[in-house]
């Protein structure tokens, strides 16, 4: 029977990073994946340009039952460490908005970097390999793979979450956690478009493809980013971000004219251009089709010159606090990540090791640590993978 020091389940961002680090320490590492290629999510990420980190990485950019859990790993392997690695490979990158770093070229450059590092570190990569069973044999693990049984001292689970099953997501990490007695918090799709009931869709449908800057709010959380109307409802960064905080039955609120003093704008129009219709005035601040819909929502007919101050204030209220109730999300089919996962209470935050099962580690998306949109989820994958790789 094959014997190795470390087996890593899942050759995604976190698994490759852990394999590289453990390999560098001279550990015999076997990294396997049921997919035909490593890092498939890296390949499709960031619209093909991989938003590989965020220079504004801070604990409050992550959602977890224990918001302090991520601090140790994020502090020890920082965005600057990953940027240095990217620079060492001569991969050109640029900063988009809000500290988000993207490759100038294809995201496969990041996959190639990791595969090259795996080789240098001497870690073995086995693709198209499935897991049949895992059991404890004394201090070691017996891992039965489709390619045969292997014994190891450390088992690192990096099999990701449930999002995008078409790309190989299986939820295996949660099952392994439960097999070894670890708790798993409630999981749900996150960074995902929101859907609406047919009557609302009839209203929003004609706007499909329209994008505008907005502030989306759910509860006490707000994001000011782009909002995109789709045939199924709402998407765009503002909505993906707020989807991580929204819960079924809750409303969301949209300010579609952020930073605009609507009453002042309308008063000026009333004085200077009294014959204009409201939607024409709004069209100076909103895409034309959205201006038309918002004028309908406000429900005031006629020329702006005839509007009372009260009417102008009510127009502002609608534009800055457009409230609607999503019926759901597009689900794991399109969600960028899975919220929730292996309970951090059962893991050591410095090493990602299960407190009650020495040698068993959980890293990356399968852990109950979920980043905002903007490169934070890859940073968590790098940091948690690095942390496990120092000890596994
Ligand atoms: P990841 O899912 O990457 O890897 C898990 C691996 O385990 C996969 O290779 C899978 O095949 C394998 N696996 C699963 N089940 C298995 C089984 N039963 N047997 C064997 N292998 C198994 N984040 C970000 O920071 N910036 C970005 O630009 C983007 N963009 C983006 C776009 C899209 C479309 C999606 C879906 C997601 C993103 N993300 C992102 C999120 C990011 O991709 C995600 O957080 C990380 O890939 C998580 O890394 P992990 O290594 O934990 O899981």
């Amino acid at each position: 029977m094959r014997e190795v020091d470390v087996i890593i389940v899942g050759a995604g961002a976190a698994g490759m990073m852990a394999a590289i680090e453990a390999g560098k320490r001279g550990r015999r590492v076997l990294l396997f994946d049921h997919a035909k290629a490593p890092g498939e999510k890296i390949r499709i990420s960031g619209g093909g340009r991989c938003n590989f980190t965020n220079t504004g990485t801070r604990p409050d950019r992550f959602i977890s039952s224990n918001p302090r859990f991520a601090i140790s790993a994020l502090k020890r392997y920082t965005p600057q460490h990953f940027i240095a690695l990217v620079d060492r490979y001569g991969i050109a990158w640029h900063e988009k908005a809000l500290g988000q770093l993207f490759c100038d070229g294809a995201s496969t450059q990041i996959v190639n970097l990791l595969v090259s590092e795996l080789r240098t570190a001497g870690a073995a990569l086995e693709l198209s390999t499935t897991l049949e069973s895992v059991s404890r044999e004394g201090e070691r693990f017996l891992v039965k793979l489709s390619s045969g049984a292997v014994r190891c001292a450390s088992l690192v689970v990096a099999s990701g979450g449930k999002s995008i099953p078409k790309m190989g997501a299986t939820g295996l990490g949660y099952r392994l956690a439960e097999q070894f007695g670890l708790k798993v918090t409630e999981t749900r799709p996150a960074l995902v478009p929101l859907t609406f009931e047919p009557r609302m869709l009839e209203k929003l449908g004609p706007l499909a493809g329209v994008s505008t800057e907005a502030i989306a709010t759910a509860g006490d959380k707000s994001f000011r980013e782009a909002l995109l109307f789709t045939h199924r409802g709402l998407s765009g960064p503002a909505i993906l971000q707020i989807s991580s905080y929204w819960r079924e039955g809750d409303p969301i609120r949209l300010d579609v004219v952020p930073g605009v003093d609507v009453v002042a704008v309308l008063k000026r129009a009333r004085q200077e251009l009294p014959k204009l219709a409201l939607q024409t005035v709004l069209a100076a601040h909103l895409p034309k089709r959205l201006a038309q819909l918002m004028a309908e929502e406000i429900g005031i007919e006629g020329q702006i010159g005839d509007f009372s101050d009260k009417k102008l204030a009510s127009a502002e209220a609608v534009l800055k606090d457009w409230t609607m109730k999503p019926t759901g999300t597009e689900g794991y089919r399109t969600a960028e990540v899975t919220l929730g996962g292996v309970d951090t209470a059962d893991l050591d935050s410095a090493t990602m090791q299960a407190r009650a099962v020495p040698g068993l580690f959980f890293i990356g998306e399968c852990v109950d640590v979920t980043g905002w949109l903007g490169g934070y989820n890859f940073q968590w994958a790098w940091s948690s993978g690095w942390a496990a790789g120092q000890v596994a």
Side-chain angles (χ1 to χ4, degrees):
M1 187 186 306
R2 269 199 293 174
E3 297 267 350
V4 298
D5 297 314
V6 188
I7 292 182
I8 299 176
V9 187
M16 285 197 274
M17 181 56 94
I20 291 162
E21 290 301 314
K24 280 188 200 165
R25 289 170 41 237
R27 302 283 274 167
R28 290 167 302 161
V29 178
L30 169 60
L31 168 65
F32 79 92
D33 201 298
H34 64 171
K36 288 197 202 83
E40 279 295 84
K41 276 203 183 150
I42 300 174
R43 186 177 58 79
I44 62 157
S45 68
R49 296 268 185 264
C50 187
N51 178 191
F52 55 81
T53 190
N54 193 302
T55 54
T57 295
R58 311 195 302 246
D60 69 357
R61 298 301 195 241
F62 297 85
I63 304 165
S64 170
S65 307
N66 175 5
R68 301 190 57 75
F69 179 81
I71 294 174
S72 168
L74 292 172
K75 250 194 186 163
R76 285 182 301 141
Y77 191 85
T78 64
Q80 282 63 38
H81 287 108
F82 197 77
I83 294 165
L85 181 59
V86 169
D87 286 344
R88 186 149 61 76
Y89 276 76
I91 297 170
W93 52 268
H94 60 278
E95 177 169 357
K96 240 179 160 176
L98 311 165
Q100 302 166 8
L101 305 192
F102 284 76
C103 296
D104 288 357
S107 49
T108 44
Q109 293 172 102
I110 300 291
V111 181
N112 295 341
L113 171 163
L114 294 164
V115 170
S116 160
E117 286 288 295
L118 280 176
R119 252 187 239 124
T120 309
L125 172 61
E126 238 182 68
L127 298 167
S128 305
T129 300
T130 53
L131 178 71
E132 287 166 4
S133 67
V134 178
S135 54
R136 198 77 160 138
E137 271 197 345
E139 301 277 277
R140 298 175 77 76
F141 295 93
L142 175 65
V143 180
K144 290 193 177 149
L145 301 176
S146 49
S147 55
V150 193
R151 240 188 242 115
C152 64
S154 295
L155 179 64
V156 181
V157 182
S159 51
K162 296 183 195 169
S163 48
I164 324 239
K166 231 170 57 187
M167 297 211 60
T170 58
L172 171 70
Y174 313 128
R175 290 198 295 280
L176 287 173
E178 281 165 353
Q179 179 189 333
F180 286 96
L182 280 76
K183 290 184 291 301
V184 175
T185 65
E186 186 200 350
T187 52
R188 54 181 286 124
L191 300 183
V192 64
L194 297 175
T195 54
F196 292 86
E197 41 97 14
R199 220 155 21 101
M200 189 67 181
L201 281 184
E202 241 170 69
K203 216 191 285 184
L204 300 180
L207 270 76
V210 169
S211 170
T212 191
E213 196 187 354
I215 299 173
T217 300
D220 60 0
K221 210 78 198 170
S222 295
F223 291 92
R224 179 175 178 165
E225 291 198 49
L227 163 77
L228 173 70
F229 293 85
T230 73
H231 287 291
R232 285 185 290 270
L234 294 179
S235 186
I239 295 299
L240 299 186
Q241 298 278 34
I242 212 65
S243 74
S244 298
Y245 293 90
W246 174 81
R247 292 296 178 271
E248 283 74 9
D250 290 347
I252 60 161
R253 295 178 0 246
L254 298 176
D255 174 352
V256 293
V257 281
V260 177
D261 182 342
V262 176
V263 169
V265 164
L266 295 182
K267 276 188 176 166
R268 203 176 322 122
R270 185 172 64 184
Q271 199 176 351
E272 294 170 6
L273 302 156
K275 289 197 182 319
L276 287 190
L278 177 61
Q279 81 178 66
T280 315
V281 180
L282 294 182
H285 299 275
L286 289 170
K288 209 169 153 201
R289 275 184 285 166
L290 180 57
Q292 188 181 338
L293 175 68
M294 293 318 295
E296 286 163 19
E297 286 289 305
I298 292 164
I300 313 173
E301 308 253 308
Q303 299 175 342
I304 191 110
D306 300 330
F307 292 2
S308 64
D309 283 357
K310 202 170 151 204
K311 278 187 176 173
L312 298 191
S314 73
E316 177 172 75
V318 174
L319 291 162
K320 291 213 162 277
D321 200 8
W322 188 20
T323 303
M324 51 179 84
K325 236 184 195 180
T327 48
T329 74
E330 287 189 8
Y332 289 116
R333 190 177 58 80
T334 61
E336 284 202 9
V337 287
T338 304
L339 201 64
V342 178
D343 196 330
T344 55
D346 291 339
L347 301 176
D348 173 42
S349 64
T351 62
M352 307 293 134
Q353 189 165 199
R355 291 184 189 284
V357 190
L360 181 63
F361 298 76
F362 290 87
I363 56 174
E365 195 180 322
C366 69
V367 177
D368 173 27
V369 173
T370 307
W372 286 5
L373 189 76
Y376 300 106
N377 284 298
F378 278 138
Q379 187 57 46
W380 169 244
W382 315 135
S383 298
S384 59
W386 182 91
Q390 306 310 306
V391 286

